Amino acid sequence: MNYQIIGAICVISACGSFGFLVAARYLQNIQLIRQLISALDYMACELQYRGTALPALCREAADQCYGRMKLLFSVLSEEMESQISPNVSCCMAVALEKCGGFPMMIQQICQTLGRSLGRFDLPGQLEGLEIARKECRELLQKLLINKENRIRSYQTLGLCAGAAIAILFV
């Protein structure tokens, strides 16, 4: 009998932890998008007013971020510096692969950004940055709609699923 209770507690804890993990991942995605918007804003200002070279621009954008987004821009800068004639799109793909763990929606925005940077003249690059910022803002708005309800639902769903499984086993 004691083993059943211990097992039920373990199942509820595991499922509840999963629900809290999903909620934390949701909040992390929101933070990543906010950091990306901030980096894109900085890059647009730097390109427009100073005309900073792309590897240096990415390095400076990395200084504006933290965590995985900082790592992404740092690796992107290193990739562009290590190639003789850098293709930003390929460098972005390599940087995303090296950093790993980015949600698909953020990867797509970064790949779109990589396709426009370094390929066009200054107005074209600024337009590419604006398109990426617009996509980020739209994505952020979607994630912020009913944020508290979603987080609470993920947590509750995890605990309830654990309780349901525990009831079935006991």
Side-chain angles (χ1 to χ4, degrees):
M1 183 67 174
N2 289 335
Y3 291 119
Q4 289 178 339
I5 293 172
I6 292 171
I9 291 171
C10 289
V11 167
I12 293 170
S13 298
C15 290
S17 297
F18 181 75
F20 281 86
L21 179 70
V22 171
R25 180 65 54 102
Y26 185 80
L27 291 173
Q28 185 181 41
N29 289 345
I30 291 173
Q31 275 302 105
L32 284 172
I33 293 169
R34 284 183 174 154
Q35 285 184 54
L36 184 56
I37 290 171
S38 174
L40 293 174
D41 288 341
Y42 179 80
M43 291 172 80
C45 290
E46 280 293 315
L47 269 178
Q48 193 169 14
Y49 296 110
R50 290 191 189 172
T52 309
L54 285 179
L57 180 66
C58 291
R59 195 175 324 105
E60 291 174 12
D63 292 337
Q64 303 298 314
C65 302
Y66 56 91
R68 291 188 344 205
M69 198 56 68
K70 179 179 183 124
L71 179 64
L72 175 69
F73 282 110
S74 296
V75 170
L76 179 61
S77 172
E78 291 170 8
E79 285 296 319
M80 284 192 287
E81 288 174 343
S82 68
Q83 293 185 1
I84 295 171
S85 91
N87 179 346
V88 182
S89 181
C90 292
C91 292
M92 181 64 82
V94 169
L96 284 168
E97 185 178 317
K98 282 185 178 179
C99 295
F102 282 100
M104 186 57 67
M105 54 194 167
I106 293 177
Q107 286 183 20
Q108 290 172 346
I109 293 170
C110 289
Q111 288 170 348
T112 301
L113 177 66
R115 284 191 291 272
S116 66
L117 284 180
R119 178 174 273 184
F120 304 111
D121 60 348
L122 181 62
Q125 290 184 49
L126 291 172
E127 181 70 25
L129 285 169
E130 184 58 37
I131 289 169
R133 282 193 300 195
K134 183 181 175 193
E135 288 178 16
C136 286
R137 287 187 184 116
E138 289 172 0
L139 183 58
L140 183 62
Q141 288 301 321
K142 287 179 187 176
L143 290 176
L144 289 177
I145 294 173
N146 295 326
K147 178 181 94 170
E148 284 79 20
N149 289 339
R150 287 182 191 215
I151 292 170
R152 190 174 35 246
S153 295
Y154 292 143
Q155 294 168 343
T156 303
L157 186 61
L159 289 171
C160 290
I165 293 171
I167 289 171
L168 289 175
F169 288 140
V170 175

